[in-house]
Amino acid sequence: PTVNYKRRELPLLRFLERTRVYYPGVELVVEADLSPETDPYLDQHVFQGERLLPAVMGLEAMAQVVVALSETTERPAFEEVEFIRPVVVSDGAPTTVRLAALVRGDDRIEVVLRSSTTAFQVDHFRAMCRVGKGRTGLSETVDATGVMPDLNGVAIEPERDLYGGLLFQSGGFRRLTGYRKLRARECVAEISARDGHAWFSQYLPGRLILGDPGARDAAIHAIQACIPHATILPVGVGEIVVGESNSAEPRFACASEQSRDGDLFVYDVCVTGSDGCVLETWKGLRLRIVAGTTRPTPWVAALLAPYIERRVGELIPGSAVSVTVALKGNGEAGKRSCESDRAIASAVDGPVVVRRRPDGKPEVAIDRSVSVAHTDALVMAVAGPTAVGCDAESVVCKPSSVWRDLLGADRFALAGVIGREVSEDESTAATRVWTAGECLTK
């Protein structure tokens, strides 16, 4: 039986649609019916044909229950967050979500989110929330120059190159505008803010406790570009702290990988304003591979760098190779050496003087080995603590006799094995072998 000891009016918030149980200061259980009509953001978060309740909106729902039960206007901090199973909203009847919050003492409130799709018997999301003064835990500022390196950005236009392909988000969740830095294990992403976006239907209260969920989601899915060959989704977080922010202010998400265990990645994320003021932190964000991605044809050049870094790390555990791949521009005489120097500086992650030996091999004064390669369209640079070499070649169709002369008998035989193993044409397989040989030479 439903028990309702409602003695006070709850705040007018979207996810406090129906009160099922209310013991003021002790326990609160509420429900809300979700459908594309009442919650249009669901149509903007469709993965593999299914509308999923975004994790960031689940956090908003939890925050609304917490502030209602604790009778505070402060944003709660989240700990021990788990996104255990997705909440799917179908085309038929609305999906009901039930949120239960229970005070655990010492300003701690436990919250779970359940769903009618599992008869309210299983926790879909779960978290421990902290409320009260002194719980924000945000540093005032960070070094803005470190957050936003002046390296001419990364040649990716998210709307053109990522959304609708590598990234499935649409509508109000499409907030990535670019990257200042992109590596396999770290990135700095630029995120736009939109004031007054309508997340709910006009007949429902629109006030949000945690602020802009679209920008928050972008801070998470920006990490996807670090792992371009697999689709990742959040499964948990150690701690989330949300501070005050101007919803119209552009922000920067700085993510760094802390560890990896198989298909589980752990990242820390810091969201700042352009002045370096910290707006939000996610510590111990756990992301799990849920599907492989269909390799785009062609690859965006800037995505090749984190992909190659990932694959080298998987094939050679413990290696610390950094990679830069960039499109060539049109320009002045001597541009080849200038492009090489810029690519090397990007690979070593900072300005550096590049010198060249008589044989043309580049060297830098710091304790890193570097190598660079050019094609008609691309420049590639790698850096590592030990000897490294890289090469890049365009595939050009040549007769078998030419490839045999170029590679020699043994390497030509190797190209034949590769071609049969991966169902690849002779010229592509032969180019792979030629390129590997050039790397060894360098």
Side-chain angles (χ1 to χ4, degrees):
T2 299
V3 180
N4 186 354
Y5 292 99
K6 183 177 179 181
R7 299 172 186 169
R8 302 180 182 91
E9 288 296 324
L10 296 178
L12 193 61
L13 295 168
R14 163 67 187 106
F15 294 100
L16 310 184
E17 193 170 298
R18 291 188 301 278
T19 305
R20 296 296 303 272
V21 177
Y22 184 30
Y23 293 91
V26 178
E27 182 182 12
L28 176 61
V29 180
V30 296
E31 291 181 349
D33 299 327
L34 307 184
S35 70
E37 291 72 34
T38 58
D39 298 80
Y41 60 85
L42 292 169
D43 280 332
Q44 302 164 15
H45 198 263
V46 178
F47 177 64
Q48 294 184 343
E50 292 186 320
R51 296 186 190 90
L52 304 183
L53 177 67
V56 294
M57 204 58 83
L59 292 172
E60 173 63 30
M62 291 180 170
Q64 292 187 8
V65 177
V66 168
V67 299
L69 179 58
S70 60
E71 299 180 353
T72 181
T73 58
E74 294 184 16
R75 294 182 174 95
F78 294 84
E79 299 175 352
E80 304 169 33
V81 181
E82 295 181 81
F83 306 115
I84 303 165
R85 63 168 62 200
V87 177
V88 179
V89 180
S90 64
D91 288 324
T95 296
T96 301
V97 292
R98 180 180 295 172
L99 293 117
L102 183 65
V103 173
R104 292 298 189 184
D106 191 27
D107 296 328
R108 291 161 58 89
I109 298 177
E110 184 178 3
V111 189
V112 299
L113 185 152
R114 295 184 173 185
S115 164
S116 58
T117 59
T118 52
F120 307 112
Q121 300 303 303
V122 177
D123 292 346
H124 288 252
F125 300 166
R126 182 166 54 219
M128 189 69 71
C129 296
R130 287 187 172 273
V131 293
K133 297 288 186 181
R135 299 296 186 190
T136 58
L138 288 175
S139 303
E140 291 185 0
T141 60
V142 296
D143 182 359
T145 59
V147 169
M148 294 165 288
D150 186 18
L151 295 176
N152 300 315
V154 178
I156 288 182
E157 294 183 23
E159 187 64 35
R160 179 194 66 194
D161 301 329
L162 301 180
Y163 287 117
L166 186 62
L167 299 176
F168 63 86
Q169 293 81 0
S170 62
F173 296 108
R174 289 193 173 186
R175 300 297 187 83
L176 284 180
T177 58
Y179 286 87
R180 294 293 183 94
K181 186 176 185 179
L182 180 58
R183 291 261 189 263
R185 294 171 181 82
E186 61 178 329
C187 68
V188 178
E190 301 180 32
I191 298 171
S192 67
R194 299 177 188 172
D195 196 12
H197 184 83
W199 294 101
F200 314 118
S201 76
Q202 60 180 330
Y203 304 107
L204 294 172
R207 183 163 72 95
L208 297 167
I209 300 300
L210 300 179
D212 188 352
R216 181 166 298 109
D217 194 81
I220 300 172
H221 69 242
I223 300 171
Q224 178 66 78
C226 297
I227 312 161
H229 58 300
T231 300
I232 54 173
L233 289 178
V235 295
V237 196
E239 179 188 63
I240 305 171
V241 180
V242 180
E244 298 292 333
S245 65
N246 179 357
S247 61
E249 177 187 89
R251 57 199 69 182
F252 298 84
C254 314
S256 60
E257 184 178 310
Q258 304 302 304
S259 64
R260 177 185 180 182
D261 183 8
D263 63 355
L264 182 68
F265 302 83
V266 179
Y267 273 77
D268 284 351
V269 182
C270 177
V271 182
T272 77
S274 57
D275 57 357
C277 180
V278 177
L279 307 176
E280 189 168 329
T281 60
W282 292 53
K283 294 182 180 179
L285 168 63
R286 301 189 298 279
L287 301 155
R288 188 178 298 280
I289 294 176
V290 295
T293 58
T294 301
R295 186 175 67 181
T297 304
W299 278 79
V300 177
L303 289 180
L304 285 170
Y307 172 72
I308 294 170
E309 287 182 4
R310 281 280 171 211
R311 294 297 290 134
V312 170
E314 291 169 357
L315 294 168
I316 312 173
S319 62
V321 174
S322 56
V323 181
T324 293
V325 180
L327 286 172
K328 287 185 174 180
N330 300 316
E332 67 280 1
K335 186 175 179 62
R336 183 183 176 94
S337 62
C338 293
E339 287 179 328
S340 295
D341 291 355
R342 282 197 295 268
I344 290 171
S346 179
V348 301
D349 208 15
V352 67
V353 175
V354 181
R355 296 182 175 88
R356 287 172 174 80
R357 302 187 324 200
D359 63 359
K361 178 176 174 58
E363 292 182 334
V364 294
I366 61 175
D367 188 22
R368 302 280 279 176
S369 174
V370 297
S371 181
V372 66
H374 292 259
T375 70
D376 291 340
L378 299 174
V379 57
M380 175 183 179
V382 298
T386 57
V388 295
C390 73
D391 192 51
E393 301 285 347
S394 298
V395 177
V396 178
C397 186
K398 295 180 174 70
S400 296
S401 58
V402 174
W403 281 120
R404 187 179 293 106
D405 290 342
L406 287 172
L407 298 176
D410 286 342
R411 290 186 177 181
F412 181 72
L414 174 59
V417 173
I418 291 173
R420 290 190 296 272
E421 288 285 337
V422 299
S423 300
E424 202 163 59
D425 67 85
E426 182 181 79
S427 288
T428 300
T431 305
R432 292 190 190 280
V433 175
W434 173 267
T435 305
E438 288 296 293
C439 288
L440 293 175
T441 300
K442 292 183 177 182

